Amino acid sequence: MNFSRNIPLRQTGLATALGLLLASTAAYGQSTTSSIFGRVPAQAGESVVVSNGAGLTRTVSVDSQGRYNATQLPVGTYSVSLMRDGQVVQRRDNVTLKVGVGADISFSTEAAANAANAKQLSGVSVSASAVPPIDVSSVDSRTVITAQELARLPLARSAEAAALLAPGAVTGAGGATSYTGEPLVSFGGSSSTENAYYINGFNSTDPFNAFGGITLPYGSIDQEEAYTGGYSAQYGRSDGGVLNMIGKSGTNEWHFGAQVVYTPEDGRSAQNSTYYMNGLPTPAVAGRLYDPNRDDNYWTSTYDLYVGGPLIKDKLFLFASAEVNDTGGYTVNPVTSGTSLHYKNSNPKWYAKVNWNINDSNLLELTGASEKRLTSGSYYYYDYNNLADKGFKAFANDTKLGGDMWSAKYTSYLTDSLTLNAMYGKMTTVNYNEPVGYNSSLTYVGGYTNQNPALNGGTPITNAQTISTMGNPADNYKTSNLRVSLTYALGSHTITGGIDNLRSSANNQGNITTGPGYYWSYGHTTNPGAPLSPTLGVPALAGFPNGAGGYYVTKNVSFSVGGLTTTQRAEYIEDNWQVSDRWLVSIGLRNDGFTNYNGGGQPYMRQTSPQWAPRLGFSWDVYGDGTFKVFGNAGRYYLGQPLAPGGPANGYVRTSQYYTYSGIAADGTPTGLTQVSVPVSANNAFGQIPDPRTVTVHNIKAQDQDEFILGFTKTAGDKWVYGAKFTRRMLRHNLDDYCNAQAVVDKAASMGINDVNDATCYYINPGVANTFAVQDASGNFHDVTLSNKEMGFTHMVRRYYALEGFLEHPFDGKWYGKVSYMFSRSYGNTEGQGQSDIKAIGGIQNMDWDFPELMVYGNGPQGNDHTHQIKAFGYYQINPEWLVSGNLSLVSGGPKYCLGLYGTNPYDPATNDPDGYGSAYHWCNGQPSPPGKNGRLPWTKQVDLGVQYRPAFADHKLGFHLDVFNVFNGQAPQNLYAEMYQDSTGTPEPRYGTPMVLQPPRYVRMSVTYDY
């Protein structure tokens, strides 16, 4: 990014202006600024003055060929004046800048007679233009939504809902939500935790699990960019997409306003109940009923206030807002829980920004923002046959999630050719989760519906303990982000170099098992003569007292402790080069480095060797008049791990011990116990703390992805724009955990090395050879390399390709509309940082690559694969008082999964569960079951409609809004229970095929706004 005024480029007309624009836009990435540029009749004494309503005035010189360029301008509305000898010759008003996209404002002799030559390259005309504008300067792929569009379209009030307007963006298949409750988005087939969030240039992504990030109050978003590919070398740390939010700023006029939004529970259709789809459990609590969703209901109310204006006119400005979203409701949990929940949630947000125009060459911005989610409630015992509460059980945990951030950004135009940008900020988020009225004398009872009915009188017995584990209430995460860059204009080149550093820490981590330090979980097998888990050494129940009926109970212990830290550093350099009149090229190189530390401050994972990420983009203005653009982009993108996957580096306990029982106490705990097994753990998690030198393989590579984009955009007459784009993504390296420690021990033994490390799981690059550090009895370390074949794996694959077409009608004062279609495929044997089939999301917390048998027949369409996507949205201004709007989304279903027991005979205990994971293999009824073999989920079809009324008697400042979401009340399943069996004995899992996530039902939203 730079502020370059006199760049001697040899080109004419619009191509000249575009060359100027490239210097400031091709490198924007997740920027917060834009530019105004153009061409004027070259005469002595000329200059161009750019000013906005916030006191920013910049005088830009005109070069000998009549070119000017004002870069690094904050988004907003500007006036542009051509000056000659200190007098205004021509002026263009109402020039609206979109973030990262410049405006071509050219003056000429013809323009003096007809001022209709001002074109806004981002797609919005600022004066009557005969040609719909095309942004011929950009080489990336993005969708920009302005505050006006956010206010007009029927959208849920979240940054994620706005991002779903972008082609290729879908709701994450695993049903993942942010810490503040918003559904996460998958971009381009990637996991929904591979995205990055920004607020005014600060990285606000959740550092622990990458579950979204802090977002702005909805009414405070000035513009939001949803990036789907082609980022500049100045940015990285995303293999999915980017949500870049630009907050509003104060101006020289005071404005204030308020909004009240209400979604009544009576205006919400009932969610469909779900039923057991694979037989009935023993015993069946309420027949086939699994989750009586039809009894769920809730209301929401939102109150929003804002104020903005000058603290010192033309110098110092303030914008501040506050928003509170309250939800109250009632939900009935699945029959396996036995409870209903009466709850109250509150989501407070605030945002403040101060802009200081120190002078025309120095700007300072201060930003503060907060987003939190507070929950409370009460659990009641529930009668699933009569569909009614039975009595109070316990209070739900009080939780407080989310946090606060602040940042400061300084821009200095040191000379006409040299620009300095610096940004620094901090964020603190909390994970407070505290039981209310916690009773340590009570033992949590899980799986109570699996109790032996002969021992409980046919009615399951439980107690008031509602949690099995609890964490430290002081649990919190801290992030700091530093960005510094210098931009230098040299002839036809604009060169930018800088650093991008991010540091995150998890503090006061850990959890313990509630009650006496363990909890009970009841189970039942229909095959008591078969070993429950032969791999873990759990024998058949039939040989034990009270085991012939197949009823058993496990005593479970879970414990973890220790903090975590990550540092992510990057250096980059980029050259934006005007090659010829019509060709623009952006060339960049970025080096990302990541280091992860355990609770003792010792690095357990280093990825600091140069990890070069080249970027190359081009734009070809085919006709030289901005009506036909061909563009392309190729780049590599690295992604570091969030904090959460580092937990095993500190050691943890996760064990189960099996028993039969002869009675059930009044508190639901088992009595008359007979031990069936010692404590067992599928991942050998008995609390040993691994040596940080051994937990990660040597020279581990970070997750990285190559991406290629080729497309075109063209005008069709004077009203329409259309285009197409092809995207190809290929994951080069993945990072996951490998838990087959015995394979490492055996390979070391074959080399004459006695491995004394008691490892749980290792961090590896799956699909390639890995070198492990093995310690012998003398304390010496040895390198032990396992080839991919020795590890038992196939090559790691994640591929994505998409072909997108769109047709757009820019807003002409009357209506706006855009329709797009995308054909895409996301396939391979890994989803990346997630595993939708088991609803595992965040870092490497899944089962993929733990053992080789888990990956057999794992290749196929991945969870976020949606072959067809059709999107259409727009609005129509009937008259100054009435506006109608709509949003259509048609998305084909993702793949179905069936995870069963291993091999051709699912009932053979010698072969059906080689890893002790139970029903987790890509086998179904003794047949291979790759993803998608069992078909596809149905299409998700949704139509949202809105109407707005702004009466003339209130000067159109008062507004009444009515929106109806999911008009036709489609409730397509988004995720099905994938496990076919309950355990290694082949006991059928009644929930197999039962919907776990459903499309939300129809609801009505009403709101009143006032803007002064």
Side-chain angles (χ1 to χ4, degrees):
M1 293 177 274
N2 74 313
F3 181 64
S4 174
R5 296 190 177 97
N6 297 312
I7 306 177
L9 306 182
R10 296 183 179 88
Q11 51 185 31
T12 59
L14 185 61
T16 300
L18 295 171
L20 289 166
L21 180 60
L22 176 65
S24 58
T25 62
Y28 276 138
Q30 293 79 59
S31 70
T32 61
T33 60
S34 190
S35 67
I36 296 175
F37 62 95
R39 187 176 178 85
V40 304
Q43 296 186 31
E46 285 185 330
S47 62
V48 173
V49 175
V50 176
S51 61
N52 65 7
L56 175 63
T57 299
R58 185 169 303 159
T59 300
V60 185
S61 58
V62 179
D63 69 11
S64 60
Q65 298 182 45
R67 297 175 302 239
Y68 78 93
N69 188 19
T71 65
Q72 297 292 310
L73 296 173
V75 297
T77 302
Y78 287 79
S79 291
V80 184
S81 300
L82 172 62
M83 311 292 291
R84 186 174 301 137
D85 298 324
Q87 302 296 316
V88 177
V89 179
Q90 299 176 43
R91 191 176 77 180
R92 304 286 185 270
D93 293 324
N94 300 317
V95 177
T96 302
L97 293 185
K98 281 189 175 181
V99 60
V101 182
D104 171 16
I105 307 299
S106 294
F107 301 91
S108 64
T109 303
E110 179 184 357
N114 179 10
N117 72 328
K119 292 190 290 296
Q120 174 69 36
L121 295 182
S122 60
V124 179
S125 288
V126 297
S127 62
S129 175
V131 180
I134 291 177
D135 176 11
V136 295
S137 67
S138 65
V139 299
D140 53 34
S141 177
R142 59 183 160 185
T143 298
V144 180
I145 308 297
T146 66
Q148 292 77 16
E149 291 165 333
L150 291 174
R152 291 168 177 169
L153 292 169
L155 298 172
R157 294 173 56 84
S158 71
E160 290 81 4
L164 287 172
L165 296 176
V170 296
T171 302
T177 62
S178 69
Y179 276 125
T180 52
E182 299 299 336
L184 298 183
V185 179
S186 166
F187 293 91
S190 300
S191 170
S192 56
T193 59
E194 295 178 20
N195 304 325
Y197 283 61
Y198 287 83
I199 293 178
N200 289 348
F202 176 85
N203 191 322
S204 66
T205 310
D206 162 38
F208 192 65
N209 275 309
F211 289 170
I214 290 180
T215 62
L216 294 175
Y218 192 72
S220 299
I221 301 174
D222 190 6
Q223 297 183 20
E224 179 181 333
E225 289 180 300
Y227 273 88
T228 55
Y231 322 140
S232 154
Q234 298 186 37
Y235 296 90
R237 302 180 187 133
S238 168
D239 282 350
V242 175
L243 280 72
N244 181 31
M245 290 155 281
I246 309 301
K248 292 180 177 178
S249 300
T251 67
N252 265 328
E253 294 184 358
W254 281 101
H255 293 272
F256 65 86
Q259 183 174 33
V260 178
V261 185
Y262 183 59
T263 302
E265 56 184 341
D266 292 340
R268 186 180 301 275
S269 297
Q271 184 82 72
N272 292 337
S273 296
T274 58
Y275 298 86
Y276 289 111
M277 301 300 292
N278 189 39
L280 296 178
T282 303
V285 174
R288 289 188 58 238
L289 179 65
Y290 172 67
D291 196 342
N293 295 317
R294 293 189 65 83
D295 286 356
D296 298 351
N297 215 336
Y298 64 94
W299 55 265
T300 63
S301 64
T302 303
Y303 302 91
D304 190 302
L305 298 170
Y306 75 87
V307 62
L311 299 176
I312 302 176
K313 189 174 182 180
D314 292 333
K315 208 72 173 174
L316 191 63
F317 306 88
L318 168 70
F319 184 91
S321 67
E323 176 183 291
V324 177
N325 180 67
D326 292 327
T327 301
Y330 172 78
T331 185
V332 182
N333 297 312
V335 296
T336 50
S337 170
T339 60
S340 64
L341 175 64
H342 300 250
Y343 63 90
K344 175 70 179 295
N345 300 337
S346 182
N347 288 53
K349 294 183 178 183
W350 62 261
Y351 164 73
K353 185 179 182 185
V354 174
N355 293 74
W356 181 19
N357 299 334
I358 302 172
N359 52 46
D360 286 347
S361 297
N362 295 276
L363 307 176
L364 180 64
E365 300 176 13
L366 300 176
T367 297
S370 175
E371 181 182 20
K372 296 185 175 73
R373 180 178 177 86
L374 293 76
T375 71
S376 60
S378 300
Y379 286 106
Y380 285 76
Y381 295 106
Y382 192 78
D383 184 340
Y384 290 87
N385 292 292
N386 295 311
L387 300 179
D389 288 344
K390 292 193 296 186
F392 176 78
K393 178 177 182 177
F395 291 109
N397 286 10
D398 282 347
T399 69
K400 181 179 180 181
L401 309 173
D404 312 303
M405 59 78 59
W406 67 266
S407 67
K409 180 188 176 186
Y410 174 67
T411 301
S412 179
Y413 309 107
L414 301 174
T415 69
D416 284 357
S417 301
L418 187 62
T419 303
L420 168 68
N421 281 285
M423 189 282 301
Y424 181 75
K426 288 188 173 183
M427 177 174 71
T428 299
T429 54
V430 297
N431 184 21
Y432 175 86
N433 193 328
E434 187 71 1
V436 178
Y438 170 66
N439 187 345
S440 61
S441 67
L442 293 177
T443 306
Y444 179 80
V445 176
Y448 79 104
T449 57
N450 291 319
Q451 290 173 351
N452 187 340
L455 300 177
N456 62 18
T459 301
I461 304 172
T462 185
N463 62 58
Q465 187 66 274
T466 60
I467 55 173
S468 60
T469 62
M470 64 181 184
N472 189 333
D475 185 358
N476 70 86
Y477 317 110
K478 295 184 181 294
T479 297
S480 61
N481 188 194
L482 171 67
R483 296 184 57 87
V484 180
S485 68
L486 275 173
T487 301
Y488 182 63
L490 179 65
S492 60
H493 299 267
T494 299
I495 302 169
T496 300
I499 60 172
D500 174 13
N501 295 340
L502 191 71
R503 185 183 190 277
S504 300
S505 62
N507 311 292
N508 302 312
Q509 293 294 289
N511 68 77
I512 61 173
T513 310
T514 56
Y518 59 85
Y519 69 92
W520 296 105
S521 182
Y522 288 94
H524 177 254
T525 174
T526 57
N527 300 303
L532 279 175
S533 182
T535 303
L536 299 180
V538 183
L541 297 175
F544 294 85
N546 307 303
Y551 293 95
Y552 64 94
V553 69
T554 59
K555 183 180 183 179
N556 308 287
V557 176
S558 178
F559 174 81
S560 66
V561 69
L564 297 162
T565 301
T566 66
T567 59
Q568 303 187 25
R569 300 177 180 274
E571 307 83 36
Y572 59 86
I573 188 168
E574 187 170 59
D575 180 13
N576 298 316
W577 178 25
Q578 179 67 41
V579 179
S580 67
D581 289 354
R582 301 181 182 182
W583 283 88
L584 312 175
V585 175
S586 175
I587 306 170
L589 186 65
R590 179 183 176 95
N591 176 34
D592 279 294
F594 313 117
T595 305
N596 298 63
Y597 302 86
N598 63 17
Q602 301 168 300
Y604 67 88
M605 185 187 303
R606 292 181 183 271
Q607 296 156 332
T608 53
S609 297
Q611 298 184 128
W612 300 113
R615 313 283 171 86
L616 175 65
F618 76 90
S619 177
W620 176 29
D621 181 11
V622 179
Y623 298 145
D625 59 0
T627 61
F628 185 17
K629 161 191 164 182
V630 176
F631 66 99
N633 191 286
R636 178 168 296 169
Y637 304 88
Y638 284 92
L639 177 63
Q641 290 291 308
L643 290 162
N650 289 324
Y652 66 104
V653 176
R654 189 171 300 155
T655 64
S656 297
Q657 187 171 10
Y658 290 75
Y659 297 85
T660 59
Y661 58 97
S662 62
I664 301 174
D667 63 356
T669 58
T671 61
L673 296 170
T674 299
Q675 180 177 315
V676 174
S677 76
V678 297
V680 297
S681 174
N683 294 141
N684 196 30
F686 294 102
Q688 66 274 29
I689 300 176
D691 190 305
R693 292 169 292 183
T694 64
V695 72
T696 303
V697 298
H698 288 325
N699 300 318
I700 192 168
K701 305 296 183 184
Q703 179 177 325
D704 65 313
Q705 178 173 266
D706 286 348
E707 179 185 73
F708 303 90
I709 297 173
L710 182 64
F712 78 90
T713 308
K714 194 178 187 303
T715 60
D718 60 356
K719 298 291 186 181
W720 298 88
V721 180
Y722 68 97
K725 180 183 68 178
F726 177 78
T727 301
R728 176 71 166 168
R729 287 179 164 186
M730 295 173 288
L731 192 66
R732 297 178 66 249
H733 295 98
N734 193 24
L735 194 151
D736 218 310
D737 52 348
Y738 175 66
C739 302
N740 192 8
Q742 190 60 46
V744 180
V745 172
D746 292 345
K747 180 62 182 290
S750 72
M751 300 168 60
I753 303 167
N754 179 23
D755 183 2
V756 298
N757 289 314
D758 195 10
T760 54
C761 300
Y762 301 91
Y763 300 108
I764 68 164
N765 288 131
V768 297
N770 286 269
T771 300
F772 300 80
V774 171
Q775 188 177 23
D776 64 22
S778 301
N780 300 315
F781 286 89
H782 306 268
D783 288 348
V784 175
T785 299
L786 271 70
S787 68
N788 194 44
K789 182 178 180 180
E790 289 174 313
M791 297 177 74
F793 291 135
T794 59
H795 292 292
M796 184 278 302
V797 177
R798 187 180 80 182
R799 298 286 188 267
Y800 171 83
Y801 63 85
L803 181 61
E804 167 205 341
F806 78 92
L807 177 66
E808 182 176 19
H809 183 281
F811 186 62
D812 58 1
K814 195 69 176 177
W815 72 284
Y816 169 83
K818 183 175 182 179
V819 59
S820 67
Y821 168 75
M822 175 177 283
F823 175 86
S824 65
R825 295 300 305 274
S826 177
Y827 60 93
N829 55 15
T830 187
E831 194 174 305
Q833 291 190 2
Q835 189 178 346
S836 296
D837 52 6
I838 61 170
K839 297 182 66 178
I841 49 174
I844 55 178
Q845 300 169 92
N846 53 55
M847 296 189 303
D848 285 349
W849 307 105
D850 286 7
F851 292 91
E853 294 83 4
L854 296 169
M855 302 307 298
V856 175
Y857 296 112
N859 193 57
Q862 292 299 295
N864 291 304
D865 175 61
H866 299 275
T867 306
H868 306 284
Q869 296 179 47
I870 301 171
K871 298 182 179 182
F873 55 92
Y875 45 86
Y876 182 76
Q877 189 79 52
I878 300 173
N879 56 46
E881 292 185 312
W882 289 94
L883 180 142
V884 293
S885 58
N887 184 18
L888 167 70
S889 175
L890 304 174
V891 180
S892 63
K896 291 182 179 179
Y897 295 88
C898 179
L899 300 177
L901 294 171
Y902 189 80
T904 57
N905 184 358
Y907 303 104
D908 183 354
T911 60
N912 69 357
D913 189 12
D915 304 326
Y917 276 40
S919 188
Y921 308 92
H922 294 282
W923 291 82
C924 200
N925 284 322
Q927 297 295 320
S929 180
K933 181 181 179 181
N934 294 281
R936 290 263 177 175
L937 295 169
W939 283 62
T940 298
K941 306 172 184 178
Q942 181 147 335
V943 176
D944 306 327
L945 298 175
V947 60
Q948 300 180 16
Y949 172 56
R950 288 187 171 271
F953 68 78
D955 197 24
H956 307 295
K957 296 176 180 178
L958 177 66
F960 301 91
H961 307 248
L962 178 67
D963 299 300
V964 182
F965 294 88
N966 195 3
V967 173
F968 299 105
N969 198 29
Q971 297 190 33
Q974 310 294 294
N975 185 282
L976 304 181
Y977 199 87
E979 297 176 17
M980 193 171 195
Y981 303 102
Q982 293 187 50
D983 51 43
S984 301
T985 69
T987 302
E989 171 55 73
R991 290 175 295 179
Y992 169 68
T994 299
M996 295 289 105
V997 181
L998 290 170
Q999 178 185 3
R1002 176 178 53 232
Y1003 67 95
V1004 176
R1005 186 181 69 190
M1006 301 173 288
S1007 61
V1008 179
T1009 63
Y1010 185 79
D1011 301 283
Y1012 179 78

